Amino acid sequence: MKLPIFVVDAFTARAFRGNPAAVCLLENKLDEDLHQKIAREMNLSETAFIQKLNPTDNFTQSSCFGLRWFTPASEVPLCGHATLASSAVLFYKIKNTNNTLTFVTLSGELKARRAEDGIILDFPLYPTYPQDFHEVEDLIKMAIGNTLVQDIRYSPDTRKLLVRLSDSYDRSFLETLKVNTENLLQVENTGKVRGLILTLKGEAGGQTQAFDFYSRYFAPWVGVAEDPVTGSAHTVLGSYWSQQLGKQEMRAFQCSPRGGELFISLRPEGRIDIKGGAALVLEGTLTA
């Protein structure tokens, strides 16, 4: 078996920043267990598999493909950065002739379209609801100790817990915050929470670029201690911060050590556009 495989850094214009994803192009159907084995071998937060939907399809001219995402531990229902990476491989490397690609996924049909300065993902927008602090107190205390919390929300669609830190903190505080993910599975093992979002209100410009909000994302429940830049988390963050700030268009920065920028635009039909750049850093052939 020989498979074309690529590594793409997503939500960045420069190599070694943003979030790396592996992308496999599948000419033929793959044995089901091989998806997980390959993802474990690649050992990135996500490995994406692009599948032809019909035997007559080809990666250069077809506009609709199947898409699945695997962490080293499990398949996930939605992954933004690996969708961006997949689109970048098709647009920039394979030279797909279409301006818009459609991916059939576990989260329904997702679209990616070319932009002058990146790729725009058309994703679902997921609402958040107030979360009782006492129900998740142990989880939050385990993760961030006595850090001051301003708001807690829950997204039942994505099973992500959004924890907004106090406005008294700044970006550097979030960047350097030590987060304990090792014991979160023991504290929260009900299946209710599959991802923890820490977020902070943005700051005006000045010495640094202005962002509307900052975040970090942790998902040890699916085998990812900290994800560098997370498109799926912004389907929740976009919903929350749009309400908080009264904005439909926002600029976001995920404060992981690698860091990444996302440009967000809410659409009227309950969808969200997430725009980002991508840098192809590796291409090769997987043999097994």
Side-chain angles (χ1 to χ4, degrees):
M1 178 189 70
K2 295 197 170 190
L3 294 176
I5 193 160
F6 307 84
V7 174
V8 178
D9 290 341
F11 295 117
T12 179
R14 293 183 293 149
F16 315 124
R17 302 274 296 167
N19 199 354
V23 178
C24 269
L25 297 178
L26 302 183
E27 288 283 353
N28 303 296
K29 209 161 187 181
L30 205 59
D31 288 347
E32 191 59 31
D33 65 327
L34 273 178
H35 296 86
Q36 192 62 67
K37 287 179 179 175
I38 292 169
R40 199 173 296 125
E41 185 78 8
M42 297 309 295
N43 200 32
L44 296 171
S45 60
E46 247 85 22
T47 296
F49 296 88
I50 307 175
Q51 304 161 317
K52 294 179 179 180
L53 296 178
N54 302 293
T56 54
D57 288 350
N58 70 73
F59 290 119
T60 307
Q61 292 170 313
S62 301
S63 63
C64 190
F65 301 95
L67 184 62
R68 296 172 71 182
W69 313 277
F70 288 77
T71 75
S74 64
E75 185 170 13
V76 293
L78 183 66
C79 179
H81 85 278
T83 304
L84 184 65
S86 299
S87 308
V89 167
L90 291 171
F91 282 145
Y92 304 148
K93 184 64 192 175
I94 308 300
K95 307 296 185 189
N96 188 284
T97 55
N98 297 282
N99 284 322
T100 301
L101 299 171
T102 301
F103 296 109
V104 179
T105 78
L106 289 176
S107 291
E109 285 193 356
L110 307 176
K111 293 186 186 299
R113 63 185 189 273
R114 299 175 192 263
E116 279 187 22
D117 52 350
I119 294 170
I120 299 172
L121 305 176
D122 173 1
F123 271 30
L125 182 67
Y126 293 117
T128 63
Y129 301 94
Q131 168 65 50
D132 179 70
F133 173 70
H134 297 294
E135 286 183 22
V136 292
E137 182 176 7
D138 290 346
L139 188 162
I140 293 172
K141 291 275 195 237
M142 177 64 72
I144 58 174
N146 293 318
T147 303
L148 297 176
V149 171
Q150 185 149 331
D151 196 5
I152 305 170
R153 300 292 180 102
Y154 179 68
S155 161
D157 298 290
T158 64
R159 291 192 282 174
K160 293 183 185 350
L161 183 69
L162 183 154
V163 177
R164 176 181 174 181
L165 305 185
S166 167
D167 287 351
S168 63
Y169 297 127
D170 62 7
R171 169 177 167 173
S172 63
F173 177 86
L174 180 59
E175 285 177 333
T176 56
L177 180 64
K178 297 284 188 287
V179 179
N180 177 1
T181 59
E182 290 180 15
N183 301 313
L184 292 185
L185 275 69
Q186 285 77 45
V187 176
E188 165 49 54
N189 57 13
T190 66
K192 177 180 175 176
V193 176
R194 301 280 283 171
L196 172 65
I197 302 169
L198 300 183
T199 189
L200 189 63
K201 187 178 179 181
E203 302 154 330
Q207 294 296 314
T208 57
Q209 291 179 307
F211 291 97
D212 292 291
F213 63 89
Y214 305 112
S215 68
R216 288 174 67 187
Y217 182 69
F218 308 87
W221 297 274
V222 295
V224 180
E226 179 170 6
D227 197 34
V229 196
T230 317
S232 63
H234 284 77
T235 63
V236 176
L237 285 159
S239 172
Y240 174 78
W241 282 111
S242 175
Q243 289 183 330
Q244 296 294 310
L245 302 174
K247 285 185 166 187
Q248 299 298 303
E249 297 194 356
M250 293 168 287
R251 194 157 177 247
F253 188 82
Q254 193 156 330
C255 294
S256 67
R258 291 177 65 106
E261 292 184 28
L262 309 93
F263 297 86
I264 287 166
S265 180
L266 271 66
R267 297 157 62 105
E269 66 273 28
R271 308 275 300 174
I272 185 171
D273 280 347
I274 302 174
K275 183 175 74 172
L280 179 68
V281 295
L282 185 73
E283 59 179 295
T285 305
L286 189 75
T287 58

